[in-house]
Amino acid sequence: MKTTEQGIRYIELMDGEQEIDIPAMVKTAKTAYKPFNFKDKIELLFFYSERKDFSHAIFTEYGIIDDEFDGKKAVHHPFGVKSIIGIEISGDDTIPLIAFVIGQAIEHFKQNMDIRRHAEWQELDKSDSYQCWQTYFCQVHSTMVRRGQEGSTDLFLKTLPFVLAKKEDSFSAPYLTGTFRHVIHTLSELYVMRQAGETEQADDYTQTIRELTGPAFMEIYEKLYTELAEYLETLGVKYNEVHDILIFTVIEQRKNQFAALYE
């Protein structure tokens, strides 16, 4: 068992003698967020080369069943009010992956406050609109870190045209949830681009999306962009305050509007 400079406990499950400075990577990932006491919110970080090693470790230590075949390279498991996190060592992607899942730890903590204070939010963790907000929050910060490392800030924007080329299928009931989550990721990337002053690149992507869809789609897309960005800059960055439940209603409404376009 080792700890980072901030006292977050972590375990390395990698084979061999890899020269990896995990405390430095965690420290860099944390810079994307406002000050937050991760030490009290994270039970343990696991770093691994093989997902099966992480799955075995958390089942042995905590009795948590992990889906090792879900394809994720960064995994968040709730553990009471804390979080257990697994991160695959993936070269330059490792720090953005850390940034994404520690964002989930922040949201897990905030969600627990919401549920304690509002009985009607007991099912919040099962709400797709809440999961979409969490995706947006985490991806914004992960992309910020990636950009700081001079890495790609358009992983999802690059692939969106392929989704939109078959939009009648992509926004149909069987695929709507996955497609909408992809859209949320792209809104995160556009936000980071615009915050960084890369407006020309953001406008190029927006124009491509417009050409593949149309005015009705873009109206919904741009409204959702504004709504998520405004929420992020207000309550979204206040980690110790309860969420405004109205944002989840807005997200669900936009999702349904996208689906209605291609019925």
Side-chain angles (χ1 to χ4, degrees), residues 121-216:
W121 290 13
Q122 294 294 322
E123 300 300 314
L124 186 62
D125 62 329
K126 298 180 179 64
S127 161
D128 185 59
S129 57
Y130 177 82
Q131 296 299 323
C132 285
W133 160 254
Q134 186 187 88
T135 296
Y136 179 82
F137 176 81
C138 297
Q139 189 62 49
V140 162
H141 293 91
S142 178
T143 304
M144 285 179 179
V145 168
R146 191 181 296 278
R147 183 184 178 278
Q149 296 179 288
E150 299 184 354
S152 173
T153 57
D154 56 1
L155 299 178
F156 294 92
L157 282 164
K158 280 181 178 176
T159 55
L160 184 60
F162 298 100
V163 175
L164 296 178
K166 297 183 177 181
K167 50 189 175 294
E168 287 78 10
D169 293 330
S170 299
F171 286 92
S172 64
Y175 305 107
L176 178 61
T177 297
T179 299
F180 189 64
R181 199 69 55 86
H182 193 137
V183 166
I184 294 291
H185 277 292
T186 67
L187 293 170
S188 307
E189 293 179 337
L190 282 175
Y191 177 82
V192 174
M193 284 181 191
R194 288 172 176 162
Q195 289 297 108
E198 298 169 358
T199 53
E200 185 175 348
Q201 184 182 10
D203 289 347
D204 286 345
Y205 274 114
T206 303
Q207 181 59 28
T208 298
I209 296 167
R210 181 177 289 107
E211 290 170 358
L212 288 168
T213 56

Side-chain angles (χ1 to χ4, degrees), residues 21-37:
D21 190 344
I22 286 177
M25 290 195 295
V26 174
K27 186 176 182 180
T28 299
K30 284 176 77 249
T31 61
Y33 297 93
K34 293 174 64 177
F36 184 75
N37 188 0

